[in-house]
């Protein structure tokens, strides 16, 4: 009987948890190593921004992308201010000059009054895939270099930003963001910036958005040169879609993707040209439009009030329409 008791005491109880499989531990370690490496690589280039004073003060984050102090942030972070206060990752503080802002994409450039600064590498948001690991870094509520990790939840979303403008092709992620994360970087597992964090859906859990870095690459040269962006206006919202192989072959198309019209603004240029929802735009003015980034780039180059041709697919037909790009409507004044 005594021996039986001893045997029972040394036997594992059914409730005792089994140790996790070795593969699970290795996977967790690999995940952790990636996040730690990316955080250590990027944190020196992430800054905290403050604007205004008292009740009119605000702030957010920014990411340095050149050694001479140029950084990307959100337009709604800098608002109408011409200068900002910048706190670097090492605790130093400096002033910054707002070089330019584009409320239509919620992007802005600030130049810190310093040089030889750590800076990030810009990646390729067109190469993103749903499900891949991403890391968000920022300074929510003034806590510098806060790091969260998650995955790309969806691509090609449309988002109405804090500035009130509808932006196409944004990145949806579940990497947790807070208001102070605005303007900070969303980066891939190689530490390359693939988005600028811009918004959180307040009532929801894990629904956050970032402006794709390829869109920023189009906007940055224009902001550096002009301080703002002059763009043609068509009055439509789109997403990138694949062209079926049979359609590619039938019309001898070199491109494999186009942009599908999701909505059309009433009485806008696209509406007046006869475009319809679900049309797939192939080209504008003889320039191919394979994705939303192509379209945005072309809109910064199209002459205003000069008719141009749009080639499109509508069902099984290939059509051409003449459109008259207009100057982009002025943004409503911010509060």
């Amino acid at each position: 009987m005594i021996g039986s008791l001893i045997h029972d005491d040394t036997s594992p109880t059914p409730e005792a948890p089994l140790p996790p499989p070795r593969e699970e531990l290795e996977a967790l370690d690999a995940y952790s190593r990636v996040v730690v490496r990316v955080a250590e690589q990027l944190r020196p280039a992430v800054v905290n921004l403050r604007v205004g004073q008292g009740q009119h003060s605000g702030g957010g984050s920014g990411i340095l992308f050149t050694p001479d102090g140029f950084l990307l942030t959100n337009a709604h972070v800098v608002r109408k201010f011409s200068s900002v206060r910048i706190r670097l990752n090492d605790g130093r503080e400096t002033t910054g000059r707002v070089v330019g802002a584009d409320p239509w994409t919620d992007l802005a450039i600030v130049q810190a009054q310093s040089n030889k600064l750590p800076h990030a590498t810009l990646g390729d948001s067109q190469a993103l895939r749903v499900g891949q690991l991403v890391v968000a870094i920022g300074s929510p509520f003034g806590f510098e270099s806060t790091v969260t990790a998650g995955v790309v939840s969806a691509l090609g979303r449309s988002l109405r930003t804090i500035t009130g403008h509808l932006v196409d092709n944004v990145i949806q992620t579940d990497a947790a963001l807070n208001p102070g994360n605005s303007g900070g970087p969303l980066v891939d597992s190689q530490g390359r910036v693939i988005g600028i964090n811009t918004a959180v859906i307040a009532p929801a859990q894990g629904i956050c958005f970032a402006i794709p870095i390829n869109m920023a690459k189009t906007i940055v040269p224009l902001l550096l040169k002009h301080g703002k962006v002059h763009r043609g206006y068509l009055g439509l919202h789109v997403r990138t879609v694949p062209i079926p192989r049979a359609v590619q072959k039938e019309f001898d198309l070199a491109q494999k993707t186009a942009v599908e019209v999701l909505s059309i603004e009433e009485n806008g240029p696209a509406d007046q040209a006869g475009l319809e929802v679900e049309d797939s735009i192939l080209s504008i003015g003889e320039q191919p439009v394979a994705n939303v980034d192509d379209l945005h780039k072309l809109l910064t180059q199209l002459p205003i009030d000069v008719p141009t041709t749009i080639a499109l697919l509508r069902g099984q037909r290939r059509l051409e329409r003449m459109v008259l790009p207009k100057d982009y409507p002025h943004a409503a004044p911010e509060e």
Side-chain angles (χ1 to χ4, degrees):
M1 183 70 172
I2 293 174
S4 175
L5 289 174
I6 293 174
H7 176 76
D8 289 342
D9 287 343
T10 57
S11 299
T13 62
E15 293 78 18
L18 295 174
R22 176 173 179 153
E23 306 83 49
E24 185 176 322
L25 289 174
E26 289 177 350
L28 180 61
D29 288 344
Y31 177 89
S32 300
R33 284 197 298 270
V34 170
V35 176
V36 169
R37 174 173 51 79
V38 169
E40 291 177 346
Q41 180 181 340
L42 266 291
R43 285 169 66 183
V46 178
V47 301
N48 175 254
L49 304 177
R50 301 295 298 174
V51 297
Q53 294 181 344
Q55 294 182 342
H56 300 288
S57 65
S61 307
I63 178 68
L64 291 157
F65 64 93
T66 70
D68 51 348
F70 286 97
L71 64 91
L72 268 167
T73 186
N74 287 146
H76 79 259
V77 168
V78 299
R79 292 182 277 174
K80 296 292 185 180
F81 293 94
S82 59
S83 64
V84 302
R85 299 189 301 280
I86 301 173
R87 183 183 299 167
L88 303 173
N89 179 256
D90 60 10
R92 288 182 294 158
E93 293 198 9
T94 184
T95 57
R97 173 180 66 93
V98 178
V99 176
D102 179 39
W104 300 102
T105 56
D106 198 19
L107 293 172
I109 295 178
V110 174
Q111 185 179 21
Q113 303 304 304
S114 187
N115 53 31
K116 296 183 179 179
L117 294 173
H119 60 284
T121 299
L122 304 185
D124 179 11
S125 53
Q126 188 64 34
L128 285 176
R129 295 295 179 266
V130 172
Q132 80 174 71
L133 170 68
V134 287
V135 178
I137 308 176
S139 53
F141 305 109
F143 295 100
E144 290 85 352
S145 299
T146 298
V147 177
T148 58
V151 298
V152 174
S153 304
L155 297 167
R157 297 295 199 211
S158 292
L159 170 71
R160 192 165 297 280
T161 66
I162 294 175
T163 57
H165 306 99
L166 194 63
V167 182
D168 293 325
N169 204 37
V170 299
I171 303 163
Q172 181 182 330
T173 175
D174 67 351
L177 301 180
N178 288 291
N181 276 108
S182 291
L186 187 70
V187 301
D188 64 15
S189 60
Q190 302 301 311
R192 298 168 299 203
V193 179
I194 46 83
I196 301 298
N197 299 319
T198 190
V200 181
I201 300 298
Q205 296 291 325
I207 301 181
C208 308
F209 297 95
I211 305 300
I213 202 64
N214 285 17
M215 185 179 295
K217 288 177 182 179
T218 299
I219 299 302
V220 163
L222 301 172
L223 292 181
L224 290 173
K225 185 175 182 178
H226 305 293
K228 58 184 179 179
V229 178
H230 300 281
R231 57 165 59 80
Y233 165 71
L234 296 180
L236 46 74
H237 300 287
V238 298
R239 66 174 178 177
T240 304
V241 294
I243 302 172
R245 290 199 177 195
V247 176
Q248 294 177 40
K249 185 175 181 180
E250 181 179 353
F251 295 108
D252 194 24
L253 300 175
Q255 65 196 76
K256 297 180 180 180
T257 57
V259 292
E260 181 185 50
V261 177
L262 297 176
S263 64
I264 297 176
E265 297 178 15
E266 188 175 358
N267 294 323
D271 188 23
Q272 295 173 0
L275 270 71
E276 299 179 1
V277 172
E278 296 186 359
D279 285 347
S280 291
I281 298 174
L282 298 172
S283 64
I284 300 179
E286 307 303 324
Q287 296 297 315
V289 178
N291 52 59
V292 178
D293 292 323
D294 286 348
L295 178 61
H296 283 294
K297 185 175 181 179
L298 279 173
L299 289 177
T300 65
Q301 301 170 351
L302 285 176
I304 305 302
D305 290 324
V306 176
T308 189
T309 301
I310 291 184
L312 57 92
L313 294 173
R314 179 176 297 168
Q316 300 300 312
R317 296 179 294 162
R318 187 181 189 279
L319 307 174
E320 289 191 352
R321 293 288 184 266
M322 193 67 69
V323 67
L324 187 68
K326 307 299 291 185
D327 198 5
Y328 226 98
H330 293 294
E334 296 179 26
E335 297 294 335

